[in-house]
Amino acid sequence: MPDGETISRRSYCKICTNQCGVVIDIADERIVRVKGDFEHPLSKGYTCPKGRAIGPSHHNPQAIRQPLMREDGALMPVSWDECLDDIAAKLRHVVNTYGPNAVGFYFGSGLGMDAAGYRMADIFYKSLSGGAPGAPPKFSPLTIDGTAKVLVASLVGGFPGLNPKTDNENVEMLLYVGVNPMVSHGHNTGMFNPAGPIRAIARRGEVWTIDPLRTETAKFSTRHIAPYPGKDYAILAWLVHEILAGGPMCPAQPIAGLDELRGALAGFTRAIAAAIAGVPEQELDDLLAAIRRHGGVVVETGTGVTMASTANVTQWLSWVLMILTGRMNRKGGAWFHPGFITQYDSFTLPVLDDPFTPGPPTMPEVSGIIGDWPCAALAGEIAAGNIRALVNFGGSLIRSFPDANRLAPALAQLELNVDFEVVENETTALSTHVLATKDHVERADISFWDTLSASLSMLYTPAMVEPTGERRSAWWAISQIMRRMGLEVPAHVPEPHDAPGADDAMLAVLMQGARCGFEELAASGIVTRPFDMQGAWVDDHIARMGGWRLAPPQLLAFLAEIRRADEAVLGLPRPLCFISRRQRRKLNASLSFLGSPADILLHPEDAAAHGIAHGQKVRVQTSRGEITLIANVSAAMRLGVTSIPHGHEIANVNLLTSVENVDPMTGMVLYTGIPITLAPVPV
């Protein structure tokens, strides 16, 4: 390309799993503009601020351009060979001396969006584990915000990969609980240009939002209910109680456990539900009437549910509502993705109804879940000497894991702390080795997390620009560590990092057995396939297991426990607490340069009671630590509740969380509904 000439290249955004089509303008190897691709058959030109920030994200001044290794206490640039040899030798020493369980792995979102890198990381992990769940210790974002969904899918649906999605084209009664697709439309919903579909659903039917904050989604909804955090389960429990008594009861598949479910909800009156949730009884009546008007309801949940102490029960009851009203696996209801790479509709789905796997020795009271350990266990396992080396595949641990005050010194004491990263941050500062891997515009890639999409499709993009500095493919760096440790590397993995077409060759292997071949995908950039939202494979699976299991004993016991606890304190004052929040111009620990503020949303009465003015600095404290935020006084916030965004460096919410405050079934740390104290910072 001649100097100064601008060329446009089609790609897709890998900031989140929605993966909108984009057109990237490049001049002199610099990304000068990113805009939506109006020829993209799925996103049709839509992008969000995060996607349009691909350029400044790639050209970040803190970009890591070459391997780094700690020498005399400081991270210093070194050659790839020196860095990889040192990592391999030290990992081999740890494994030979203490066993493979002394090596922890974190499968972070960084490599999570790198198809070939993630698959190679999994091969590396399994080469040490021998395939045994929980050995070596494995951590992932699942135990930060998603265990309830896997738990309920397993206990109720018999398979952890069942993930109901809303039929946005046909749904008439949609209930959002603790989810804000106007901001987080790539988390699970797979919704392009979310304002359009939400408005359309509200026009032809109704959209209700349950959230302590009047979110961006609530503003587009038909109605909004603002419960106390973690108490939304009471609303859903009463709805199930009433549907069992007076309908609509029209399950589309067989069901089991109906009598046990009725017994568990006996006496769950409207008055009790409203008192626990802290909402007017009339709002519950109105919501039930809306469900009955439309003959059923689709319920979609998000991190407002899954990060709360009652996550497992709320998620369970959301499924029960859809099952009882016949909205599971039906048009106008919730559908299940049949998979593009792994084709769930091409084989008999196994019944996997026990998601629990061995967990961390330092937390014997909780289990792992489908092989993952609770993130809360990492600091304690390091302190106990159980984990002596850590391989972090692209995760900002200090801003993602709980109890940062405890985690940071633990990471600093590791014998080996390897980080795959593209930008300097607080986590890389604690590493012994940092491997500079290609970022999302420097590598060819495919949309590996196909089942999180709202369509049966697969995307491909070539690299947009040459790698910055000495960056190399993550799959190559991982395979080199394996080779130098004496571990077997699959024969298809190229050894030279610069072998022609190496990245594409790795992606082609991933596409073997998919609904199209890699050549077809690479030629077109996107391949879609038709599918039936009323998947026979789901109905067959539910029939084989004897019906949806409405009353798993573990969840019945959990409901009874939280119900007793909540009814015992009815009428007593509730502590001021905070809920977590995503921001439109930020993504977890990244994109801080877009300027989303580290603020705390406060109801005007709460602000006045604490002597806090809008725009003032506020000190927020829990038993674990404190942070300083900017007061954002707004009537959109429920009285008695505040909201704090996560992922900020200067006000890290994980300085407030505790590894001792966890879900008793899965060990997931609680990130919402946490009591706090507030004080204005003197000017």
Side-chain angles (χ1 to χ4, degrees):
M1 178 173 66
D3 289 348
E5 181 182 344
T6 299
I7 62 169
S8 297
R9 292 174 175 161
R10 281 191 160 80
S11 184
Y12 64 88
C13 172
K14 284 170 272 186
I15 294 293
C16 79
T17 55
N18 220 31
Q19 302 186 324
C20 303
V22 293
V23 176
I24 300 178
D25 291 345
I26 302 164
D28 298 329
E29 283 300 307
R30 289 195 64 84
I31 295 171
V32 295
R33 185 185 180 194
V34 175
K35 57 190 176 183
D37 182 359
F38 286 89
E39 296 182 18
H40 195 279
L42 299 177
S43 56
K44 300 176 182 178
Y46 174 77
T47 58
C48 75
K50 295 183 276 284
R52 293 191 295 273
I54 289 172
S57 178
H58 171 65
H59 298 297
N60 193 311
Q62 257 105 31
I64 298 170
R65 301 169 181 273
Q66 61 196 102
L68 305 173
M69 191 165 77
R70 190 167 298 279
E71 297 177 348
D72 298 324
L75 285 172
M76 303 297 293
V78 293
S79 70
W80 272 101
D81 280 335
E82 185 178 359
C83 195
L84 293 169
D85 282 345
D86 198 59
I87 291 169
K90 288 176 177 173
L91 265 178
R92 175 51 65 195
H93 169 75
V94 169
V95 171
N96 290 349
T97 306
Y98 306 103
N101 278 22
V103 182
F105 289 81
Y106 179 57
F107 285 74
S109 299
L111 257 64
M113 300 299 286
D114 175 347
Y118 188 90
R119 178 56 63 86
M120 199 70 227
D122 189 54
I123 292 171
F124 182 23
Y125 171 78
K126 289 175 179 175
S127 72
L128 287 183
S129 71
K138 177 175 175 281
F139 305 89
S140 82
L142 171 66
T143 61
I144 294 175
D145 65 10
T147 55
K149 295 196 173 188
V150 170
L151 179 74
V152 169
S154 301
L155 297 181
V156 176
F159 187 71
L162 290 179
N163 181 16
K165 295 176 175 295
T166 303
D167 175 8
N168 289 310
E169 296 295 320
N170 298 290
V171 64
E172 293 185 351
M173 178 62 199
L174 176 58
L175 177 59
Y176 287 127
V177 187
V179 63
N180 186 11
M182 284 295 297
V183 170
S184 303
H185 49 286
H187 179 65
N188 176 57
T189 55
M191 185 183 285
F192 303 107
N193 194 13
I198 294 171
R199 280 191 178 120
I201 297 166
R203 280 195 299 267
R204 69 171 174 267
E206 298 181 56
V207 178
W208 287 60
T209 292
I210 296 178
D211 198 293
L213 173 65
R214 184 170 171 76
T215 62
E216 294 87 343
T217 299
K219 294 172 185 176
F220 284 94
S221 300
T222 310
R223 289 282 296 272
H224 171 229
I225 298 176
Y228 195 75
K231 306 308 176 188
D232 34 30
Y233 84 90
I235 299 173
L236 302 191
W238 179 76
L239 291 173
V240 173
H241 177 274
E242 294 303 298
I243 286 168
L244 289 172
M249 274 271 289
C250 48
Q253 298 86 22
I255 57 175
L258 197 56
D259 290 341
E260 294 88 343
L261 180 64
R262 281 198 175 98
L265 295 173
F268 210 102
T269 66
R270 181 184 61 191
I272 289 174
I276 291 174
V279 300
E281 292 184 39
Q282 185 61 50
E283 292 188 341
L284 302 190
D285 277 340
D286 292 348
L287 177 54
L288 177 61
I291 293 172
R292 286 177 169 163
R293 270 196 303 276
H294 297 283
V297 63
V298 176
V299 187
E300 194 165 311
T301 63
T303 54
V305 166
T306 59
M307 288 179 163
S309 61
T310 55
N312 303 327
V313 167
T314 307
Q315 184 68 20
W316 162 49
L317 293 173
S318 75
W319 277 50
V320 170
L321 279 170
M322 291 189 283
I323 292 166
L324 292 180
T325 62
R327 292 302 188 261
M328 281 294 208
N329 198 40
R330 290 296 181 266
K331 182 178 179 180
W335 58 281
F336 295 88
H337 203 293
F340 197 100
I341 295 177
T342 300
Q343 302 174 50
Y344 293 130
D345 55 352
S346 67
F347 58 89
T348 300
L349 208 63
V351 176
L352 302 174
D353 54 5
D354 181 6
F356 299 110
T357 48
T362 57
M363 297 179 70
E365 69 280 7
V366 298
S367 300
I369 188 162
I370 60 169
D372 282 16
W373 281 17
C375 292
L378 179 58
E381 288 293 309
I382 295 171
N386 297 332
I387 292 179
R388 294 175 176 268
L390 179 68
V391 182
N392 175 15
F393 295 121
S396 182
L397 300 181
I398 297 298
R399 291 191 231 175
S400 304
F401 277 41
D403 229 333
N405 283 317
R406 187 177 180 187
L407 179 61
L411 293 176
Q413 77 178 55
L414 284 167
E415 297 178 26
L416 182 67
N417 185 2
V418 181
D419 202 352
F420 288 71
E421 204 26 289
V422 295
V423 176
E424 296 173 2
N425 55 47
E426 312 94 305
T427 302
T428 60
L430 297 169
S431 301
T432 60
H433 301 72
V434 181
L435 297 177
T437 51
K438 294 177 182 176
D439 72 9
H440 52 169
V441 292
E442 296 171 334
R443 64 176 185 262
D445 218 335
I446 61 173
S447 50
F448 187 59
W449 297 103
D450 53 309
T451 59
L452 296 180
S453 166
S455 61
L456 186 55
S457 60
M458 183 58 52
L459 308 178
Y460 166 81
T461 179
M464 295 290 102
V465 295
E466 291 297 316
T468 300
E470 297 178 26
R471 288 179 177 176
R472 297 185 183 178
S473 298
W475 63 261
W476 176 83
I478 296 167
S479 69
Q480 285 296 310
I481 293 171
M482 294 177 65
R483 293 183 198 278
R484 296 167 199 229
M485 287 182 69
L487 300 174
E488 183 177 354
V489 176
H492 70 266
V493 179
E495 186 157 1
H497 75 91
D498 54 356
D503 284 351
D504 277 355
M506 293 293 291
L507 297 175
V509 172
L510 297 183
M511 291 292 294
Q512 292 175 356
R515 293 180 191 267
C516 77
F518 178 73
E519 293 77 14
E520 178 186 353
L521 177 62
S524 63
I526 179 168
V527 173
T528 61
R529 292 287 188 258
F531 71 102
D532 184 2
M533 280 193 176
Q534 186 173 314
W537 61 282
V538 177
D539 283 354
D540 291 346
H541 170 71
I542 299 306
R544 276 195 309 275
M545 59 180 272
W548 297 106
R549 295 170 181 170
L550 300 180
Q554 304 97 316
L555 296 175
L556 294 180
F558 202 165
L559 173 61
E561 180 183 344
I562 61 175
R563 180 179 173 183
R564 279 193 303 269
D566 282 341
E567 291 187 21
V569 297
L570 287 180
L572 297 178
R574 293 178 173 177
L576 182 69
C577 66
F578 82 84
I579 59 174
S580 62
R581 172 165 44 101
R582 279 193 169 95
Q583 295 173 299
R584 181 168 170 78
R585 300 180 69 84
K586 196 173 191 327
L587 181 69
N588 299 332
S590 65
L591 305 184
S592 295
F593 59 82
L594 288 178
S596 285
D599 62 355
I600 178 169
L601 286 174
L602 291 163
H603 188 277
E605 293 181 32
D606 287 323
H610 290 83
I612 295 169
H614 182 77
Q616 186 173 8
K617 289 185 177 180
V618 179
R619 183 175 295 109
V620 182
Q621 291 180 304
T622 67
S623 60
R624 306 309 293 180
E626 67 177 51
I627 58 176
T628 299
L629 300 156
I630 303 299
N632 185 348
V633 179
S634 170
M637 192 74 250
R638 178 198 160 101
L639 182 64
V641 183
T642 70
S643 177
I644 302 174
H646 64 264
H648 283 274
E649 177 183 1
I650 60 172
N652 184 357
V653 74
N654 283 299
L655 295 171
L656 305 178
T657 56
S658 170
V659 295
E660 296 166 2
N661 192 12
V662 302
D663 171 64
M665 294 181 71
T666 65
M668 196 188 82
V669 163
L670 309 185
Y671 283 90
T672 196
I674 299 172
I676 57 173
T677 59
L678 297 181
V681 176
V683 178

